[in-house]
Amino acid sequence: MKKRRFRAAAVQTIARLGDFEHNIALATSFVEEAVRQGAELIVFPECMDTGYLFDSQEHCRELAETITDGPFVLALSALARKHSVYIASGITEWDPTKEKIFNSGVMFGRSGELVCHYHKQFLATHDQNWFSFGERGCPVVETDLGRIGLLICFDGRIPEIFRAMAMQGAEVIVDMANFFAMDQADMWGPARSFENGIWLVAATKAGYERSIYYPGGSMIVDPKGRVLSKVPYDTHGLAVSDIDLDAAADKSIYARNDKIADRRPETYGIMAQPYEKTPVYKIADRPLVPAKSVTKVAAVQMHVTADCTAHDVLDMVDHTAKLGAKVLTLPEYAFCGRAILNAAEAARLAEQMPDLLASVAFIASKYQCLIAVPGVEKAGGMTFVTTFVVGPGKQDVAKYRKTHLTAEERSWAAAGESYPVFETPFGRIGVMSGYDAVFPETSRCLAIGAADIVLWPASLREPFERELIAVPRAEDNRVAVVLANRTDSQYPGGSLVIPPNGFPMWDINVAAPRVLKHGAVMPKHIDLALCRQKLMIPKVDMFANRLVETYAPIVAA
């Protein structure tokens, strides 16, 4: 019978290159300490059997072990059996049948049996020097501790891998990692937990291995994205926490919404298309003229209030355009005095939109710019939450209809069905509106559709929308994100522009402290060439390297 609560431990240590005896002794001591503290799931870092930075592929092959009779895996199996616990670890695996070396993850059950076997899918630059790309998909296994999925390090930077496991019912994700940077631990791990509502037990190394410094960051994160236990940087030890599976069953957000039930898989089809058939592939080699490839964008943090009229909002938009911004966005429902609309307020705003759009079009024409106006649209007997993208031409109005609706919006609005990307003189523009951004699929579909800049008119309700997912939406997709938030929302202010490569400091509250001023304008110059360049690091393309054949759970209705 599945236990609803158990204790997990994430080990932070460092393997010695090529020294199985040392690494087995190290693993044994940590297992014994974790068991002493009551842990039933114990997780070790990536390539814990052999170390990681090999001299060559031949050196890697010499050290790689099979999953059936390798010294390290046999030792882990014996430890799991001896203590009646689950043990997961990264290993360097030789597959004699395929004649390939894989960066693998294994998990042994209480009787020492192999219960899950995973291949790292998203290989970093150095991985590709000796490992083959994973061929085992995104496995999730049923255990008496719950449904557990395995992934390895860089896999956590790809939202589809975590999501595919979530859609198979995973309650706990085990991450066997070699984190090179603090942001991967401090931001991406919690972000993936938050957006999927799943526990994360992440074990990584701390110390130096040849040319690599591992800062650490082993942690246990709850389904709300909160770090419950963490090993301090640059130390060895255990992160230990109790895992409550009922917390993973709760996917609620905004009190009345659900992060999984509110997905729109019928609109995500582009995510499973082969890279060569996607728009992002078609523009990958399209040349840009350097002098014409920089766009000034701006988030205008202003909307109608008791003391601020629609004329005041338009005046601020005019001033922002006058100062050279070429792509501007306002917050959600900027021309309404409430952040959450009822049916009557939505109807009134829909009636006002033609006149408002005419005024915005005059500004766009005067300054030859593009302005995103979030509003409400009546069409075909239905009402939509629509962002109108108004350009400099007289008839230049495009629109995006919000696909993921809040519970309040569902009472009066119909959902959109697609993620259009608009070709403009200022770059390729996409829009995600408010709640859309909670779903990594939204920004992913826009990026696969070859967006350079994603506008995010918002009315934020939770701190982690800005603190955890804003930067990943930009960096995961290598797009610029322009977030314009209301100042009267449940989590007000904090509008900003995030470049496609993020910030030097992972903590957004340090890199871009939240500004609460009504009427604040956040401008930034965006290099479109950087948006088109989808490499995170050499040989690691955030789209070309995706294994789309493993994403069926994401697009299945």
Side-chain angles (χ1 to χ4, degrees):
M1 180 178 178
K2 181 193 296 184
K3 299 179 66 171
R4 299 309 298 170
R5 192 177 184 90
F6 66 92
R7 183 164 291 179
V11 178
Q12 184 161 294
T13 184
I14 191 165
R16 185 178 292 173
L17 185 64
D19 192 337
F20 279 93
E21 184 175 342
H22 171 85
N23 297 335
I24 290 170
L26 198 61
T28 301
S29 65
F30 274 111
V31 167
E32 290 173 349
E33 175 58 23
V35 169
R36 188 189 69 79
Q37 295 189 39
E40 295 181 80
L41 171 64
I42 304 159
V43 181
F44 285 94
E46 183 177 357
C47 294
M48 190 61 205
D49 56 344
T50 60
Y52 189 51
L53 286 186
F54 309 102
D55 294 332
S56 62
Q57 190 173 51
E58 292 72 26
H59 183 212
C60 181
R61 168 64 188 91
E62 177 187 330
L63 294 175
E65 60 179 333
T66 69
I67 61 167
T68 56
D69 60 3
F72 189 79
V73 295
L74 289 176
L76 290 189
S77 173
L79 286 167
R81 182 169 57 252
K82 175 182 178 181
H83 297 288
S84 188
V85 295
Y86 288 82
I87 300 176
S89 180
I91 66 165
T92 302
E93 179 195 354
W94 167 249
D95 186 323
T97 303
K98 296 179 181 294
E99 295 189 336
K100 293 179 179 179
I101 311 168
F102 293 103
N103 187 333
S104 297
V106 292
M107 183 169 69
F108 295 97
R110 297 186 190 278
S111 300
E113 75 282 17
L114 181 66
V115 295
C116 194
H117 178 200
Y118 176 75
H119 289 161
K120 187 174 183 179
Q121 294 189 48
F122 209 77
L123 300 183
T125 308
H126 27 278
D127 280 317
Q128 295 180 45
N129 291 331
W130 30 76
F131 295 121
S132 296
F133 285 89
E135 298 178 5
R136 300 190 64 84
C138 304
V140 174
V141 295
E142 185 78 52
T143 76
D144 62 277
L145 295 180
R147 291 185 62 80
I148 300 176
L150 306 186
L151 56 78
I152 299 174
C153 197
F154 231 52
D155 291 331
R157 296 295 293 265
I158 302 303
E160 290 92 334
I161 297 173
F162 216 108
R163 186 64 120 193
M165 294 181 183
M167 298 315 301
Q168 295 175 75
E171 297 163 299
V172 181
I173 297 295
V174 164
D175 185 358
M176 301 151 287
N178 287 339
F179 294 150
F180 294 168
M182 295 177 184
D183 64 353
Q184 194 163 355
D186 290 332
M187 180 173 290
W188 267 266
R192 297 284 99 100
S193 288
F194 171 73
E195 68 194 18
N196 290 284
I198 298 179
W199 287 92
L200 173 67
V201 183
T204 186
K205 292 173 182 165
Y208 289 88
E209 183 181 359
R210 294 187 162 181
S211 63
I212 288 182
Y213 161 62
Y214 304 113
S218 299
M219 61 173 60
I220 298 177
V221 186
D222 80 358
K224 297 294 186 183
R226 298 170 297 200
V227 178
L228 300 190
S229 181
K230 183 178 179 182
V231 183
Y233 285 115
D234 299 315
T235 63
H236 292 178
L238 296 172
V240 178
S241 180
D242 290 335
I243 305 293
D244 178 4
L245 295 182
D246 288 336
D250 176 13
K251 308 295 186 184
S252 63
I253 186 171
Y254 302 173
R256 295 169 55 198
N257 279 90
D258 187 297
K259 289 182 281 192
I260 297 299
D262 291 345
R263 294 174 67 253
R264 300 290 311 286
E266 69 277 16
T267 68
Y268 305 153
I270 195 172
M271 294 179 65
Q273 289 185 6
Y275 174 63
E276 293 75 14
K277 294 184 178 181
T278 63
V280 70
Y281 168 77
K282 294 175 183 176
I283 71 160
D285 295 324
R286 184 189 297 180
L288 289 169
V289 177
K292 298 179 180 179
S293 66
V294 176
T295 295
K296 186 177 182 180
V297 302
V300 182
Q301 187 170 280
M302 194 171 187
H303 52 84
V304 170
T305 68
D307 302 316
C308 178
T309 67
H311 176 78
D312 295 328
V313 175
L314 290 168
D315 191 50
M316 183 60 74
V317 170
D318 186 283
H319 278 289
T320 304
K322 186 182 300 181
L323 292 177
K326 291 302 179 183
V327 178
L328 300 74
T329 186
L330 289 159
E332 274 198 309
Y333 307 126
F335 290 100
C336 184
R338 281 169 49 87
I340 300 174
L341 276 57
N342 59 34
E345 290 163 335
R348 283 196 294 272
L349 182 56
E351 291 175 1
Q352 297 167 9
M353 290 311 299
D355 288 341
L356 291 168
L357 292 174
S359 298
V360 171
F362 177 78
I363 298 172
S365 179
K366 180 166 61 170
Y367 298 109
Q368 293 295 291
C369 64
L370 198 73
I371 305 167
V373 185
V376 177
E377 175 194 15
K378 294 276 190 179
M382 294 186 288
T383 304
F384 298 95
V385 180
T386 300
T387 297
F388 299 87
V389 182
V390 182
K394 290 183 179 179
Q395 305 300 320
D396 195 1
V397 178
K399 55 192 174 186
Y400 163 68
R401 291 170 174 169
K402 189 174 183 178
T403 55
H404 303 88
L405 303 179
T406 65
E408 296 85 358
E409 290 166 338
R410 284 201 296 262
S411 69
W412 53 263
E417 300 293 337
S418 63
Y419 306 95
V421 174
F422 313 119
E423 184 82 56
T424 80
F426 317 112
R428 293 176 59 85
I429 309 295
V431 178
M432 57 184 183
S433 179
Y435 187 38
D436 278 331
V438 170
F439 304 87
E441 292 92 342
T442 308
S443 54
R444 207 60 161 162
C445 287
L446 290 169
I448 296 169
D452 300 314
I453 299 167
V454 173
L455 307 179
W456 180 9
S459 179
L460 300 181
R461 301 196 194 185
E462 295 201 2
F464 281 177
E465 290 181 272
R466 182 181 193 268
E467 294 175 4
L468 287 184
I469 67 174
V471 171
R473 295 296 177 265
E475 282 203 58
D476 287 347
N477 299 294
R478 287 302 188 264
V479 297
V481 170
V482 186
L483 166 60
N485 189 30
R486 295 179 68 102
T487 58
D488 62 352
S489 62
Q490 292 173 19
Y491 187 72
S495 301
L496 79 164
V497 179
I498 306 165
N501 56 345
F503 298 114
M505 171 61 187
W506 70 266
D507 188 338
I508 195 171
N509 290 324
V510 174
R514 188 158 58 112
V515 174
L516 301 179
K517 183 182 184 302
H518 188 261
V521 175
M522 306 300 178
K524 196 171 190 69
H525 285 86
I526 297 299
D527 185 345
L528 297 179
L530 193 58
C531 300
R532 299 280 172 93
Q533 198 285 99
K534 301 300 184 181
L535 291 174
M536 175 185 287
I537 52 178
K539 297 168 64 177
V540 181
D541 188 296
M542 300 301 286
F543 296 92
N545 291 32
R546 295 161 67 245
L547 301 183
V548 297
E549 63 273 14
T550 69
Y551 300 161
I554 298 173
V555 298

